[in-house]
Amino acid sequence: MNKILSGIRVLDFGRYIAGPFCATLLADLGADVIRIEKPSGGEDRYTVPVTSDGEGAYHMQIGRNKQSMTLNPMTEEGQDIVKRLVKTADVVVVNVPPQALKKMGLDYESLCAINPSIILTLNTAFGSLGPYAERGGFDTIAQAMSGSMHLSGTEGHPAKSFAPYCDFGTASLSAFGTLAAIMHRMKTGEGQIVEGSLLSTALTFNNAALIEESILHKNRQGSGTRGQFNAPTDTFKTQDGWLSVQVVGQGLFKRWCNLLQENQWLDDPKYASDQGRGDHGHIISQRMEQWCAQHNNMSALAELSKAGIPAGELLTPAQTLKNEHVVASKLFQSVDYPNSPGAAPIVNHPINYSKSQTCEFKRAPTLGEHTDKILNEIGFDPNQITGFRERGVI
């Protein structure tokens, strides 16, 4: 079966998560992705270190299905190598501010001079317009500026998501945009710039709250795990653990009232809508806390499931890895990596396709593992490659 992006070459100059994971998603679909790092290795290769030589968990996940070469694109010889690579490529993925892009010769104008149909996928902190365009930034900064961190915590105590959803969300949206640009090029022959930013992703994910604030001026304060637009939506302590429960819509609320024998609330105008229930969520959560305190996780989940109410256990990472549904659904691929004390459980490509094939994961490459092979493919002989290495070009 032919993979969706077979024949598409992607140059991954990304760093940390947003750019590299965009390229990873394309690699999963069959694109030939070349990960290009500085000769000493990118900092993101060593984030969340798990191997004996300090290589990291993010690299194991995001480096999958890629080739690796090292390169210093700021040298004259490095610029020549970049130009040769660009001639062979369909997509260039980068996440650096505009000025640094120009210095690296990876701005759209420079790329088009080499390959007029190239697609440049940019991922930045704040986008290329506005007074913050040249600023660097990370996931947490976007969470903070979007209003999400304020609403995720409690009053006076903001809280961030542990998982970097702005990074992974930007990567996913940028991969979506890159696929759209590839379709456009198939129709017109034109390349283009595809641009995503951490802030635009964060604003997209928190847009409903921002719309409400703009129109109604609610000035909401954070309420921890308790939702504010419906109820009961919260995390509740049982006799042996914690559960997360979310009730949205009149049908689910009726089932919940029946289960907890609070049918009088169905006739109470305070609880007649999702928003009304959200506005009085502290009352509803308090009642749910009382119910959960009479159950352990297993019995509570059994009764909630029987009643058709969405709920799940609050799991530690160790428990998540052993969860019966996670295991039975085969959501991970076990991938070995050099110098790792154990195989890495890499989450599958996040979308299933009924007709198209995705890759069985190849482990993330060691630093520069494919440098000589790639340089040979674009016309450099072994002596030249040795010289590059001696001069610090690769």
Side-chain angles (χ1 to χ4, degrees):
M1 193 185 307
N2 199 32
K3 297 182 180 69
I4 297 171
L5 293 182
S6 290
I8 297 292
R9 170 167 278 189
V10 178
L11 304 181
D12 173 14
F13 287 91
R15 52 187 182 176
Y16 292 103
I17 297 172
F21 189 63
C22 167
T24 301
L25 293 171
L26 303 178
D28 289 350
L29 298 178
D32 171 24
V33 177
I34 300 174
R35 167 85 165 132
I36 301 169
E37 300 175 71
K38 60 186 179 182
S40 60
E43 292 86 348
D44 53 351
R45 177 177 283 271
Y46 307 102
T47 304
V48 193
V50 293
T51 70
S52 61
D53 55 354
E55 299 211 3
Y58 277 125
H59 174 64
M60 287 184 176
Q61 176 192 10
I62 294 172
R64 68 177 186 251
N65 297 331
K66 299 179 183 180
Q67 299 186 77
S68 169
M69 72 173 291
T70 55
L71 180 66
N72 180 358
M74 306 302 287
T75 64
E76 185 175 341
E77 290 175 304
Q79 285 283 302
D80 181 49
I81 293 171
V82 168
K83 290 175 183 177
R84 293 206 199 187
L85 286 169
V86 169
K87 285 180 182 178
T88 73
D90 300 280
V91 178
V92 174
V93 176
V94 193
N95 52 321
V96 295
Q99 285 187 2
L101 203 69
K102 186 81 172 175
K103 291 179 181 177
M104 294 172 69
L106 297 174
D107 57 293
Y108 188 60
E109 183 179 350
S110 297
L111 294 175
C112 281
I114 304 163
N115 184 343
S117 64
I118 200 75
I119 294 166
L120 173 61
T121 300
L122 293 175
N123 292 283
T124 61
F126 302 108
S128 58
L129 300 175
Y132 298 175
E134 290 296 333
R135 289 188 186 181
F138 290 103
D139 175 279
T140 303
I141 310 303
Q143 288 189 44
M145 290 183 61
S146 71
S148 175
M149 195 180 290
H150 170 83
L151 294 170
S152 295
T154 56
E155 189 168 359
H157 298 279
K160 76 178 187 74
S161 165
F162 185 86
Y165 71 85
C166 298
D167 276 328
F168 280 99
T170 300
S172 302
L173 292 170
S174 295
F176 162 80
T178 302
L179 290 174
I182 290 171
M183 292 179 67
H184 176 84
R185 192 180 67 179
M186 290 170 63
K187 295 177 180 178
T188 67
E190 298 174 329
Q192 62 181 300
I193 300 173
V194 175
E195 183 178 359
S197 75
L198 301 180
L199 183 59
S200 66
T201 296
L203 295 174
T204 296
F205 287 13
N206 200 37
N207 200 178
L210 298 172
I211 291 170
E212 182 199 51
E213 178 59 29
S214 177
I215 295 173
L216 300 180
H217 310 293
K218 288 278 189 178
N219 190 29
R220 289 189 183 275
Q221 301 300 310
S223 54
T225 61
R226 177 170 61 80
Q228 298 190 27
F229 303 134
N230 39 67
T233 294
D234 208 340
T235 305
F236 304 98
K237 186 171 176 54
T238 68
Q239 293 172 353
D240 64 350
W242 293 81
L243 295 181
S244 180
V245 177
Q246 184 163 16
V247 172
V248 182
Q250 186 65 19
L252 284 179
F253 184 63
K254 183 177 180 180
R255 294 179 202 169
W256 181 84
C257 287
N258 289 337
L259 176 64
L260 271 71
Q261 299 180 347
E262 296 288 359
N263 288 359
Q264 75 280 2
W265 285 6
L266 294 171
D267 299 318
D268 190 326
K270 293 199 304 286
Y271 309 128
S273 67
D274 272 333
Q275 190 56 66
R277 295 187 284 272
D279 291 342
H280 299 87
H282 59 291
I283 298 172
I284 298 175
S285 279
Q286 187 176 42
R287 178 66 184 92
M288 189 64 184
E289 285 173 3
Q290 295 168 357
W291 184 87
C292 285
Q294 299 169 3
H295 294 79
N296 59 33
N297 272 13
M298 184 176 294
S299 65
L301 283 171
E303 291 201 36
L304 289 164
S305 178
K306 184 177 179 180
I309 297 170
E313 292 181 273
L314 191 158
L315 303 176
T316 67
Q319 291 169 329
T320 297
L321 291 167
K322 296 177 181 177
N323 175 263
E324 60 182 353
H325 180 79
V326 171
V327 173
S329 299
K330 299 180 179 178
L331 295 175
F332 290 98
Q333 293 187 35
S334 184
V335 181
D336 290 319
Y337 191 82
N339 300 312
S340 173
I346 310 295
V347 180
N348 282 326
H349 181 78
I351 305 295
N352 291 321
Y353 308 89
S354 66
K355 299 291 185 182
S356 302
Q357 184 180 18
T358 56
C359 295
E360 181 178 345
F361 290 171
K362 297 178 183 176
R363 67 160 174 81
T366 57
L367 180 62
E369 183 173 346
H370 304 96
T371 300
D372 290 23
K373 170 181 171 290
I374 293 165
L375 290 175
N376 184 257
E377 287 174 356
I378 59 175
F380 294 104
D381 63 41
N383 289 333
Q384 290 174 298
I385 294 170
T386 298
F388 291 150
R389 189 162 280 115
E390 289 172 350
R391 292 188 292 276
V393 178
I394 58 175

